């Protein structure tokens, strides 16, 4: 059975490079391309479902983290692989929390990429060799009961909300789409179980180190 890949990256040359690399593999086809997370979601909603989704993290309009959250909810059986140049802890954590099953850096060679695709399709997980094992021991630790875990991006947005920024202002400041900011806001409300913006501000003042 062929592995049908949907890929999202804001650099067309990179997508073309991946297509060239995988063109010799008879059991892998890139069936869907997108330049950002929103395009990816729309393509999957309207086209034949892929076997696996491969996405970059930082893209315009909608980033890979927000897209992964949406796609994981709608298509929980389709594994998502992060393919990015970023291997920092915060980026890895956010993608894992969003629902990604694998994380590979763009330093990976063809064999590692193929291995990651096949592992995820088989229901396993795969993480790039460049990510320290010690980090995963830390990242896999279960949070203490009742502990609220906000991602780096969620804390960043919450801090801006506390400073009185509107959704549009936050989107402009962080160079993200309004849709992405709205998605993060909903997740913050849900995690904190706080319905009002006033409640968010009060939480931020008590729990974040804000510099005015």
């Amino acid at each position: 059975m062929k592995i049908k890949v949907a890929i999202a990256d804001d650099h067309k040359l990179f997508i073309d490079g991946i297509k060239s690399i995988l063109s010799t593999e008879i059991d892998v086809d890139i069936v869907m391309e997108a330049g950002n997370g929103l395009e990816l979601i729309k393509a999957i909603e309207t086209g034949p479902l892929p076997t696996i989704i491969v996405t970059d993290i930082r893209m315009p309009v909608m980033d890979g983290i927000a897209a992964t959250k949406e796609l994981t909810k709608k298509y929980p059986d389709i594994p998502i692989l992060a393919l990015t140049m970023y291997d920092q802890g915060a980026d890895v954590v956010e993608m894992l929390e969003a629902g990604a099953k694998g994380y590979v850096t763009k330093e990976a060679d063809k064999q590692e990429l193929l291995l990651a695709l096949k592992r995820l399709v088989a229901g396993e997980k795969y993480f790039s060799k460049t990510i320290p094992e010690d980090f995963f021991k830390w990242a896999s630790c279960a949070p203490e009961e009742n502990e609220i875990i906000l991602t780096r991006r969620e804390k960043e947005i919450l801090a801006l909300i506390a400073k009185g920024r509107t959704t549009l202002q936050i989107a402009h400041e962080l160079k993200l789409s309004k849709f992405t900011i709205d998605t993060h806001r909903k997740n913050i409300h849900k995690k904190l179980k706080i319905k009002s913006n006033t409640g968010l501000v009060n939480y931020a003042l008590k729990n974040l180190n804000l510099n005015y």
Side-chain angles (χ1 to χ4, degrees), residues 10-66:
D10 57 330
H11 294 95
K12 184 65 167 62
L13 282 175
F14 178 76
I15 292 180
D16 290 343
I18 294 296
K19 288 171 68 175
S20 177
I21 289 172
L22 298 179
S23 63
T24 58
E25 300 298 316
I26 61 174
D27 57 346
V28 180
D29 273 342
I30 292 184
V31 298
M32 203 172 291
E33 301 174 29
N36 59 62
L38 188 57
E39 286 183 10
L40 176 64
I41 291 173
K42 289 181 177 179
I44 291 174
E45 288 176 341
T46 57
L49 292 180
T51 312
I52 187 170
I53 298 166
V54 177
T55 180
D56 194 3
I57 293 181
R58 300 179 189 176
M59 298 180 289
V61 184
M62 178 189 281
D63 62 29
I65 295 168

Side-chain angles (χ1 to χ4, degrees), residues 96-107:
L96 294 181
E97 290 183 338
K101 301 301 182 185
Y103 197 105
V104 174
T105 65
K106 290 181 178 179
E107 296 176 359

Side-chain angles (χ1 to χ4, degrees), residues 49-135:
L49 292 180
T51 312
I52 187 170
I53 298 166
V54 177
T55 180
D56 194 3
I57 293 181
R58 300 179 189 176
M59 298 180 289
V61 184
M62 178 189 281
D63 62 29
I65 295 168
T68 296
K69 287 179 181 177
E70 292 297 312
L71 290 168
T72 299
K73 291 176 187 175
K74 294 181 179 179
Y75 310 100
D77 295 330
I78 302 177
I80 298 177
L81 172 68
L83 181 58
T84 176
M85 68 173 62
Y86 305 102
D87 62 357
Q88 298 302 308
D91 294 313
V92 180
V93 169
E94 288 194 73
M95 280 302 287
L96 294 181
E97 290 183 338
K101 301 301 182 185
Y103 197 105
V104 174
T105 65
K106 290 181 178 179
E107 296 176 359
D109 57 21
K110 174 183 176 179
Q111 296 310 314
E112 185 175 11
L113 177 57
L114 283 171
L115 177 61
L117 292 174
K118 291 178 180 179
R119 286 256 182 105
L120 265 64
V121 168
E124 303 174 24
K125 296 184 179 182
Y126 185 87
F127 303 100
S128 180
K129 299 171 184 176
T130 62
I131 301 172
E133 289 185 8
D134 288 345
F135 167 73

Side-chain angles (χ1 to χ4, degrees), residues 156-196:
E156 191 175 18
I157 291 171
L158 179 56
L160 291 172
I161 292 172
K163 292 179 180 180
R165 307 289 201 281
T166 66
T167 297
L168 286 176
Q169 288 172 332
I170 295 172
H172 178 74
E173 188 164 336
L174 298 182
K175 295 181 175 58
L176 297 171
S177 72
K178 180 179 180 296
F179 182 90
T180 297
I181 301 302
D182 282 336
T183 299
H184 283 303
R185 287 182 76 124
K186 288 176 184 176
N187 288 330
I188 294 169
H189 279 290
K190 184 177 180 181
K191 283 185 178 182
L192 299 182
K193 297 180 180 179
I194 295 174
K195 295 182 178 180
S196 68

